[in-house]
């Protein structure tokens, strides 16, 4: 039997430890600007973010390098201007096809990482209304990915231009089609990252989130193309990656002709993902 | 001040917290006590809106937590030492949380120093020991200089020096007029730290009273008597409401009368006493007496061994 004698707590005269100094009340309320800053600190203070973004750039430059290495077969050929533009444009934007997978994974884990580590409890305690935290997370991710995307495509343009100059192939960066490739490509990457964040917030599991995001992005178009009949051809252009690609390069295959229409389709996918994510975040226990 | 009214939480068919009412007063340390699965963590999570009550309500400093303009300034919370991204440094973790409320970086340095994390603040949290994780959790709770503190198992994993530090800290915070609610499995720690206790069992409030009252009400003091004529002495107290137990051949434990009464009676009868010692009840005994029927996960031995608690949502997480 325990013989511990209960002590009167007020009798324990402990020396007071160094207490926190009072914090001035001014300027220390919850604000959306503050939440944005918080999410930016969170994004940049993780190695996975830095590595993923670095990889997007490196892969893009690498692809541009591979696609513009001078080959003997075209040594003495002279290309019409339009074709030169096409060659430079593909070299500039080819990295995006690989970059989209990286940012999709990054987007998913930027959210699911908070759930697997328990960080989400800290996040939602600081922002108990929840939706501002999700919105800030997505804005920060979109802006960061967009900037990384622009660095990738512009960098790739210069790599390609440098190497292709040997074959007398060149294109002006300020050509509308190239500008669309540069900024449209970056926009697409940013939207994919945010779309994936929504998937992450819906599933709250890294493995499941990555599988679903990459499934929608890469596997769905493949599966659809193998289904016989006419309807897959009608639905195909509305798939996320099929419509998204048309934002930065016109393949000429799609029935959705205008870039802005394709942008709207892409935004629709993002909106569904984010809307569902917001709804679930608000209603579920953390 | 924390006020709960008919607060109820169900996870599927399992009721974690059933219609509980309580008030946590400022200016003192209130302990939330109960066996595993009693609903302590769930209750704390509902206070800060991480879990939505199935019915009922809980308000902090007059409003639901989420309606405060600066929640971190109102309530500092340590729910789980693992509520940190393992890939981030302690310094960046604090900086990110401080940023939401525009709390300056100087304050982050302050709480790092206060919790003694200076040497590891720039290291990634993944490599932290349980004790360092707890200190970081307490640093987070203190970040906003809040009027109310909620600490779930704050001494879990701390070394003796850390336990003492938390005890001093919580008592000083309460002495400043703040509301302090803490849960702990260490009953002896509660006896030293808390002024007031709310005891939960199977999602209900079993007791809500000052620590001393709970001890007095739930344990009857025992007097240990050693006498060469124990049998004769026992005969003196053969009356209702008094229990005499023979522990050894010449040792009795008597419940129901005071040591003074025993001494007087023995003197009157001319019986020699070699020992006369009142054994007062401990919080541990009071707790066991209170929660005897309320233990949800009983071990084979019959007594509930304190073990790390899992909140129901975490259990769901595992099941998933």
């Amino acid at each position: 039997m325990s013989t511990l004698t209960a002590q009167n707590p007020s009798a324990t005269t402990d020396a007071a430890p160094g207490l926190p100094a009072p914090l001035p009340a001014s300027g220390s309320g919850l604000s959306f600007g503050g939440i944005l800053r918080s999410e930016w600190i969170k994004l940049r203070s993780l190695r996975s973010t830095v590595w993923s973004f670095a990889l997007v750039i490196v892969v893009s430059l690498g692809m541009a390098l591979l696609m513009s290495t001078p080959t003997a077969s075209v040594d003495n050929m002279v290309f019409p201007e339009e074709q030169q533009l096409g060659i430079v444009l593909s070299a500039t934007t080819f990295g995006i096809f690989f970059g989209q997978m990286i940012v999709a994974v990054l987007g998913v884990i930027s959210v699911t990482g908070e759930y697997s580590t328990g960080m989400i409890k800290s996040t939602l305690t600081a922002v108990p209304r929840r939706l501002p935290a999700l919105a800030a997370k997505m804005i920060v991710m979109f802006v960061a990915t967009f900037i990384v995307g622009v660095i990738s495509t512009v960098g790739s343009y210069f790599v390609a231009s440098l190497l292709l100059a040997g074959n007398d192939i060149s294109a002006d960066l300020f050509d509308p089609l190239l500008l669309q490739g540069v900024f449209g490509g970056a926009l697409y990457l940013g939207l994919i990252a945010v779309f994936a964040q929504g998937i992450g917030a819906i599933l709250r599991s890294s493995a499941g989130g990555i599988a679903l995001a990459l499934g929608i992005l890469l596997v769905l178009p493949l599966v659809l193309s193998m289904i016989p009949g006419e309807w897959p051809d009608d639905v195909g252009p509305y798939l996320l990656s099929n419509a998204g690609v048309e934002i930065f390069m016109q393949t000429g295959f799609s029935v959705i002709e205008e870039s802005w229409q394709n942008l709207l389709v892409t935004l629709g996918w993002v909106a569904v993902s984010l809307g569902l994510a917001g709804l679930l975040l608000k209603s579920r226990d953390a | 001040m924390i006020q709960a009214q008919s607060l109820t939480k169900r996870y599927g068919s399992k009721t974690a917290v059933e219609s509980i009412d309580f008030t946590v007063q400022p200016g003192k340390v209130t302990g939330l006590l109960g066996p595993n699965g009693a609903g302590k963590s769930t209750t704390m999570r509902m206070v800060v809106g991480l879990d939505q009550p199935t019915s009922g309500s809980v308000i902090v400093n007059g409003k639901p937590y989420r309606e405060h303009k600066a929640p971190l300034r109102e309530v500092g919370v340590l729910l789980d030492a693992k509520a940190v991204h393992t890939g981030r440094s302690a310094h960046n973790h604090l900086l990110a949380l401080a940023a939401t409320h525009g709390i300056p970086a100087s304050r982050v340095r302050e709480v790092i120093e206060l919790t003694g994390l200076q040497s590891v603040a720039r290291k990634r949290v993944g490599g932290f020991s349980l004790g360092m994780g707890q200190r970081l959790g307490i640093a987070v709770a203190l970040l906003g200089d809040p009027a109310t503190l909620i600490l779930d198992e704050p001494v879990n994993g701390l070394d003796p020096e850390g336990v003492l530090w938390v005890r001093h800290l919580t008592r000083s915070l309460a002495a400043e007029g703040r509301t302090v609610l803490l849960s702990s499995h260490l009953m002896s720690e509660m006896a030293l730290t808390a002024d007031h206790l709310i005891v939960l069992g199977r999602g209900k409030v079993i007791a809500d009273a000052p620590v001393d009252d709970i001890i007095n009400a739930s344990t009857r003091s025992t007097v240990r008597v050693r006498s060469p004529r124990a049998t004769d002495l026992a005969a003196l107290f053969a009356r209702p409401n008094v229990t005499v137990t023979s522990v050894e051949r010449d040792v009795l434990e008597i419940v129901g009368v005071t040591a003074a009464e025993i001494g007087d009676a023995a003197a009157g009868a001319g019986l020699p006493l070699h020992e006369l010692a009142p054994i007062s009840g401990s919080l541990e005994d009071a707790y066991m007496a209170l929660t005897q029927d309320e233990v949800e996960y009983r071990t084979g031995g019959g007594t509930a061994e304190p073990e790390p608690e899992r909140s129901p949502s975490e259990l769901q997480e595992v099941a998933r």
Side-chain angles (χ1 to χ4, degrees), chain B residues 41 82 103 115 117 125 142 151 157 188 202 215 227 229 262 276-277:
Chain B
S41 295
K82 296 186 298 293
I103 296 169
T115 49
L117 287 171
V125 178
L142 294 173
L151 310 171
S188 51
R202 294 204 196 186
I215 293 168
S227 169
R229 295 176 59 188
I262 296 169
L276 180 64

Side-chain angles (χ1 to χ4, degrees), chain A residues 18 28 38 117 122 125 285-286, chain B residues 9 45 65 73 82-83 96 114:
Chain A
S28 48
S38 170
T117 58
S122 295
T125 311
D285 288 339
Chain B
K9 181 67 187 179
R45 290 163 59 85
Y65 179 72
R73 302 294 311 265
K82 296 186 298 293
L114 189 76

Side-chain angles (χ1 to χ4, degrees), chain B residues 150-193:
Chain B
I150 297 174
L151 310 171
D152 196 3
E153 306 273 350
V155 299
N156 195 14
L158 288 181
D159 52 17
E161 184 247 342
V163 171
L164 199 66
W165 171 71
V166 169
R167 187 190 307 158
H168 289 177
L169 184 73
T170 47
R171 294 215 54 79
S172 316
L173 289 166
E176 286 188 334
R178 297 177 210 251
T179 307
V180 181
L181 177 65
L182 74 154
S183 71
S184 176
H185 279 297
L186 304 171
M187 267 68 75
S188 51
E189 184 54 37
M190 276 296 196
L192 291 171
T193 313

Side-chain angles (χ1 to χ4, degrees), chain A residues 1-10 12-39 41-48 109-110 113-130 137 203-204 282-286, chain B residues 9 11 45 48-52 65-67 69-73 77 79-80 82-88 92-93 95-97 99-104 107 110 114 124 142-145 165 167-169 171-173 176 178 188 191-195 211-212 215 222 279-285 313-314 320:
Chain A
M1 174 182 167
S2 161
T3 52
L4 173 95
T5 311
Q7 293 181 15
N8 179 6
S10 58
T12 51
T13 48
D14 299 323
L19 272 180
L23 182 64
S26 62
S28 48
L30 187 60
S31 68
F32 192 66
I35 302 170
L36 275 177
R37 241 162 50 81
S38 170
E39 288 300 333
I41 293 169
K42 277 155 80 172
L43 189 70
R44 71 170 162 76
S45 60
L46 286 182
R47 287 185 193 174
S48 57
I109 62 168
S110 75
E114 291 218 7
Y115 282 97
S116 63
T117 58
M119 177 69 200
I120 191 73
K121 290 178 227 165
S122 295
T123 301
L124 298 184
T125 311
V127 189
R129 288 190 185 274
R130 300 187 176 186
K137 195 179 272 303
L203 292 184
R204 302 196 288 189
K282 195 80 182 161
S283 59
R284 283 195 292 212
D285 288 339
Chain B
K9 181 67 187 179
Y11 297 100
R45 290 163 59 85
V48 291
L50 286 177
D51 282 12
Q52 198 75 249
Y65 179 72
R66 73 180 55 190
E67 283 174 19
K69 284 200 164 59
L72 291 186
R73 302 294 311 265
V77 63
L79 282 173
D80 195 329
K82 296 186 298 293
V84 183
H85 199 297
T86 41
R88 203 171 276 130
N92 280 327
H93 176 66
L95 217 53
L97 291 176
T100 57
H101 282 58
I103 296 169
R107 176 67 182 178
E110 242 172 70
L114 189 76
R124 297 200 295 160
L142 294 173
L143 197 58
D145 190 25
W165 171 71
R167 187 190 307 158
H168 289 177
L169 184 73
R171 294 215 54 79
S172 316
L173 289 166
E176 286 188 334
R178 297 177 210 251
S188 51
L192 291 171
T193 313
D195 303 299
V211 172
D212 294 349
I215 293 168
T222 306
I279 307 166
S280 58
S282 69
L283 185 54
E284 232 126 15
D285 301 331
S313 70
E314 276 175 312
R320 204 179 291 148

